[in-house]
Amino acid sequence: MRRLGKEIWKNRALYIMLLPGLVWFFIFAYMPMGGLTLAFKDFNASLGIWGSPWSGLDNFRDLFHDPAFLRSVWRTLAINIGKLIVSFPVPVALALLFNELRMRRYSKALQTVFTFPNFLSWVITSGIIINILSNSGLVNGLLQTMGFDIVNFLGSEKMFIPMLYLSEIWKTSGWSAIIYMASISGIDAEQYEAAQLDGASRFQMMMHITLPSIAPTIIVMFILASGNLMTSSFDQVFNLSNAATKNVAEVLDMYIYRITFQSSTDFSFSTAASLFRSVVNMILLLAADWGAKRMGGTGLFGGVQKGEGKREKRKARKAA
Amino acid sequence: MKGYRKWTKRAVSLGLAALMTLSMAGCSNGGGSNGGSSSGGDDDTLTISFGALDNVTKEQWETDFHQFFMDKFNIKWDFNYVEWASWDEKMRVWINSGDLPDVSIWNYNYTDAKNYAEQGLLYKFPDDWKERWPNAAMAYEASPLNTQLEERFGGTYVMLRPTYVYHAQTDPMVNQIGVIGIRKDWAEAVGFEIKDAYTVDEILEFARLIKEQDPGNLGSSLIPICFDPANSLTCFVSSNSRHSRIETAFYKEENGEYQWGPADESVLEALKLYQQAYREGLLDPEFYLLNDNDKDKFYINGTVAVYHMGGVAEFRQTVDTEMRNNLQLNSDDVVHEAILLGNDEKYHNIILGSNYWSSLIFSPNISDENFERIMDLIDWTCTEAGQIVCNMGIEGVDWEYQDGEAVSILPEDTSLLDKYGPRVESMYILEDDFAVVNPSIKEEYRNRMNSLAQLKLDYGQGEYDDIDWNQEFHVSRAKDRVQFDYGQEYANLIVQEGDLETNWKAWVDEKMPLVQEYLDELNSSY
C-alpha cells in the first residue's frame, strides 16, 4: 500500500491529469446508476427516485408485452450487425491504403478530407444528405439530366438502411482509421526491409506484415463495437428518418425516445427499456471478449487464455 | 532551466486539471434554474422567465410594443424560446427536473396535468385568484375544461388558453381546421368551378386538371396539392370519416361499446383517396418530409394549387401579405378559400366544445411577487383595452380611434408580426378571438372566415360528436401506450408499396393488442 502511495506520488502530475476523467466518470457514469432502480419503481417526481414506490417487474412485463418494443430490439440488432459487417472493415482498409501512399503530403490531404465529416454533427450531415437526395436535389437532378426517372431516396424503406450505412461510412471512417494508422506506425520497419529483401510485393507486405500486426487493435475495436450492438446512432436515425421510413427506422433508441417524450411521461417504463438495452450490450461485449480470447486474441480485459501461461513459461525456458 | 521546465510542466498540468474540473462543474446544474425570480436593475423591476414557442429576436425585444409591456408592468423578460419540434420534450424535461421558467406555454394533456398537479410539479394558484384577477378569471372560465380540471385537481394548476372569449365565429363553435386555400386564377384557367365547399373527389379532380394543364407554367416545380402529414390526416381522412377525429381515436358506438376509429372501414375508404392523390402525383411527392411548412410553398414559392389554410382570418391576412411581398401578387385576385367536405358532402369535424389551445403553467418555485406581476399583465391583456394593444399594437402609432372605433393605421403591406415579431405578451386569450373583429385584418377576410365557419355547421347537418369526458379524464398506462401519431402512421401507410387494404389490415392487427387492452379498460369502466 505504501509502495502504491509512493508510486502515485512519484507520478502525481499524471494522476492529477487523470483526476478530471475519473471525476467525470464518477459523476456521469457511476452516480446515475442509482437511477436505474427506476426500472423497478413507479416513479413519482415529488417523491424522487428513492422515495417512489417499488413496482417489481411490472415495467418489464409491460415492455415485453409491447410488440413495438420487441420489433425495435430485433431491428436494432439487424441494423447493427449489418453495420458491423459493412462499415467496420472500411476504416481498416482506409488505414492500410493510407499507409501505402508514397506521397506523404497527398496522404495527409486525403486524411484530412476523410476525417473532416466526423466533426459535423448528424443534424448538419443529415441536412446535407437530405438536400442531395431529395427529389429536387443534386442526385435526382443529375438523373433527370441523363434522362432517368426521379428516384425517391428519402421515402424508400428499402434504401433507408443502405443510406444509414453509407452515411456512417462517409462520416466516421476517416476518424476511425486514425487508431489503425497509429497502430501501423508502431510496426517495426525492419520487418518491411527484410520482406523487401526477400522480394515481397507491397500487397504481400500489407497482407502478411501490416494486417497481422494491427490484428490486436482490430480485435479490440471489434469487441467494443460488439458491445454497442443494441445502441444505434440515435442522432443519425432521428435526423434521417421520416414518416415514410418509420417502419424500418424505429430502432430501440428511437423507441425509448418515443415512449419517453412523445406519449405521457413514464420515466420508469423508459428506464426499464434502457436498462434492458444496457444489459444486452454488456452480455454481447462479454461474449465478444470471450470469443476473441478463444480465437487466440488477448481480448478487451486482457487475461491469459487457458494453457497460454504454460506455453509462455516453456518459451522463456527454451530461450534461456 | 531544468527546474523552470519542471515547474512549467506542473503548472500546465495543474491548470489543465483545474480547467477541466471547472468546465465539468459548469456543465452541472448547480441548483441553477430557468425560474429566474430575481429583481432586475431597478428596485421594483422583476425579471420574469418565460418559455414560449415564439422566436423573438433581440431587435424585436427593443421595439415599442415589447417595451410598452415592460414599462407598464415594470418587468424584464428572461425569454426561453422553445422550438415547436421539441416543445413536448423540453417541457417534460423542465417540469420533471424542477427547471420550469416562471411561466410557460405548455401543450396540455390530461394525464400529464394530473400527474404534475399531484406531484407538486406545477404552481398551485392561491384560492382567491379569481377575485384578485377577475378579467383573467372571466377568460379562464370561457373554456369549460378549465373548471372541470379545477374540480378534479382541487385547485388551479393549469390555465387552458381560450380560443374565443368575447367573440366567436359561430355558435356552437367549430374547429378551425378544414379550410383550404386554392389558386383561383389557375382554377379559372382550367375551367374549374369556384365554390364555397368542395368534396375531396372534387379537389382531386381540380388537382388533375392543374397537373395536366399547368396553368402557371411551372413545369416540374408544380405541386397540385401540398399537405403535410398532419394536414393530410385532416383533409383526406377526417373529412371523410367521422371516426377519425383529431382529438381522440376512440369513440362510443350506439350500443355503448367503445371502438377504435382507425380500424373503421370509413378510414380505409378515406386512405384510398389519400393514396390515390399520392400515387397519381397530385399530392407533393415528398409530403412526408414536410413539417408545418407546406404553406410556404403556396404563398412564398407560388408552386402549389391547393393547401390547408385553416379557418382564421389572420391566416388569410398572412397569405395576402406574403403573396404581395414574395410573389408580387394580389391575393384577392389569385386565392380562393373553401371548406373541404367528405365525399358524402358532409362536414365531419367535431364541435370545439373545449374552447382552448395549449395552456399556461407556472413554476412551483415562482416567487409570489413574480406570480402576481404576471397575473397583473394577464389580467390587463384580458380587458378590452389590453386586447386592442395585444392585437393592434401601440395607440397613435399602429392604430387610432376614429369616431369612437379603433382603426388600423399600419401601411397595407405591413403586419404587426413584421413590425414587432411575435407578440408574446398576448399570452392568454388566443389571437383567434380578436381576429373575428380585428380592424387591422381586412373586413372581407373576417367575414369570409366567419361565413365558412357557419358553412361547416350547415354541412355538418348536426352530425357532431360531443367530447367524451370519461375518456378525456381516463388515466392509465394502457391509454399512454395507444397515443399514436396518426398523421405519421397514415403517411407511412400511403407510401408503402403493395395493396393499401392489406397494409392497413396488417397495421390494424399490429396495433390491436395494445388498443384492445385500452378498449377493454374503457368498456369495463364506462
Side-chain angles (χ1 to χ4, degrees), chain B residues 299-524:
Chain B
Y299 53 62
I300 294 180
N301 301 356
T303 53
V304 168
V306 182
Y307 90 112
H308 182 262
M309 179 188 283
V312 184
E314 198 164 352
F315 298 163
R316 182 61 186 84
Q317 179 83 37
T318 305
V319 174
D320 189 58
T321 314
E322 295 289 346
M323 275 199 154
R324 204 182 299 277
N325 293 342
N326 296 295
L327 303 169
Q328 289 74 51
L329 288 174
N330 179 354
S331 75
D332 297 343
D333 299 334
V334 299
V335 178
H336 174 69
E337 320 81 17
I339 63 165
L340 195 58
L341 307 175
N343 280 349
D344 60 357
E345 301 202 339
K346 283 184 182 174
Y347 186 79
H348 288 283
N349 277 312
I350 196 172
I351 292 172
L352 191 65
S354 47
N355 188 28
Y356 77 91
W357 179 79
S358 76
S359 65
L360 285 184
I361 50 172
F362 294 78
S363 164
N365 306 318
I366 192 173
S367 66
D368 286 346
E369 52 182 358
N370 274 24
F371 173 73
E372 284 162 10
R373 196 68 60 89
I374 300 168
M375 287 306 290
D376 288 345
L377 183 149
I378 290 173
D379 195 66
W380 185 76
T381 63
C382 292
T383 62
E384 199 183 333
Q387 280 291 291
I388 289 178
V389 173
C390 285
N391 294 288
M392 294 186 69
I394 307 295
E395 186 179 2
V397 178
D398 304 313
W399 61 276
E400 61 188 15
Y401 278 112
Q402 290 175 11
D403 303 327
E405 300 239 330
V407 176
S408 172
I409 52 173
L410 276 176
E412 200 179 344
D413 57 349
T414 308
S415 68
L416 282 182
L417 187 68
D418 297 332
K419 193 171 176 186
Y420 300 124
R423 302 183 307 285
V424 291
E425 292 82 355
S426 173
M427 66 170 82
Y428 194 48
I429 300 178
L430 297 177
E431 290 171 8
D432 314 37
D433 179 83
F434 197 76
V436 178
V437 294
N438 191 340
S440 49
I441 297 174
K442 278 189 190 173
E443 192 178 358
E444 308 90 270
Y445 299 159
R446 286 185 272 132
N447 293 340
R448 176 75 182 149
M449 288 304 170
N450 293 346
S451 69
L452 288 179
Q454 184 56 49
L455 213 55
K456 288 181 192 176
L457 278 178
D458 299 342
Y459 277 103
Q461 299 174 14
E463 276 200 24
Y464 292 113
D465 292 320
D466 284 331
I467 290 171
D468 180 351
W469 295 111
N470 285 333
Q471 217 194 120
E472 169 74 25
F473 296 131
H474 187 84
V475 173
S476 73
R477 180 171 280 176
K479 183 183 178 183
D480 294 345
R481 290 166 67 189
V482 293
Q483 303 301 311
F484 306 117
D485 183 336
Y486 291 98
Q488 300 280 310
E489 298 283 345
Y490 291 154
N492 184 266
L493 278 174
I494 295 312
V495 298
Q496 270 184 36
E497 288 172 5
D499 176 50
L500 177 67
E501 189 166 348
T502 313
N503 293 338
W504 172 74
K505 280 182 179 158
W507 176 78
V508 169
D509 290 345
E510 178 199 312
K511 303 284 181 204
M512 205 37 103
L514 296 178
V515 166
Q516 193 58 50
E517 201 178 317
Y518 180 51
L519 284 174
D520 292 345
E521 221 174 70
L522 286 177
N523 285 323
S524 62

Side-chain angles (χ1 to χ4, degrees), chain A residues 12 24 44-46 59 62 65 71 135 152 155 242-244 246-247 257 261 263-267, chain B residues 10 24 89 92 96 111-112 116 119 286 288-289 477 480-481 488-489 492 495-497 510 514 517:
Chain A
R12 57 191 177 279
W24 187 93
N44 181 316
S46 61
N59 292 317
D62 288 345
H65 186 61
R71 272 196 305 274
N135 284 6
N152 186 4
N242 54 57
K246 64 181 275 300
N247 279 350
Y257 170 78
F261 293 117
S263 56
S264 293
T265 319
D266 191 343
F267 288 117
Chain B
R10 276 182 193 168
M24 279 198 312
E89 290 108 286
R92 282 206 171 111
N96 283 282
T111 305
D112 279 346
Y116 295 156
Q119 295 178 28
E286 290 184 309
Y288 47 82
L289 292 178
R477 180 171 280 176
D480 294 345
R481 290 166 67 189
Q488 300 280 310
E489 298 283 345
N492 184 266
V495 298
Q496 270 184 36
E497 288 172 5
E510 178 199 312
L514 296 178
E517 201 178 317

Side-chain angles (χ1 to χ4, degrees), chain B residues 67 174 220 228 235 244 247 251 275 317 339 341 491 505:
Chain B
Q67 206 55 51
V174 288
S220 61
D228 66 15
C235 295
S244 174
E247 287 86 353
Y251 66 97
Q275 191 172 62
Q317 179 83 37
I339 63 165
L341 307 175
K505 280 182 179 158

Side-chain angles (χ1 to χ4, degrees), chain B residues 109-130:
Chain B
N109 77 74
Y110 180 73
T111 305
D112 279 346
K114 181 175 181 286
N115 288 336
Y116 295 156
E118 282 174 1
Q119 295 178 28
L121 297 173
L122 302 178
Y123 178 77
K124 187 183 180 193
F125 286 43
D127 292 338
D128 61 346
W129 78 268
K130 288 184 186 172

Side-chain angles (χ1 to χ4, degrees), chain A residues 215-275:
Chain A
T217 311
I218 296 174
I219 289 170
V220 168
M221 296 307 287
F222 182 82
I223 294 169
L224 288 174
S226 306
N228 274 322
L229 278 182
M230 284 293 281
T231 310
S232 325
S233 170
F234 172 78
D235 293 356
Q236 180 192 21
V237 180
F238 182 77
N239 287 297
L240 284 174
S241 61
N242 54 57
T245 55
K246 64 181 275 300
N247 279 350
V248 289
E250 190 168 275
V251 289
L252 188 54
D253 285 341
M254 289 285 281
Y255 172 84
I256 294 171
Y257 170 78
R258 181 168 63 80
I259 59 167
T260 309
F261 293 117
Q262 292 184 343
S263 56
S264 293
T265 319
D266 191 343
F267 288 117
S268 294
F269 191 64
S270 346
T271 309
S274 297
L275 181 59

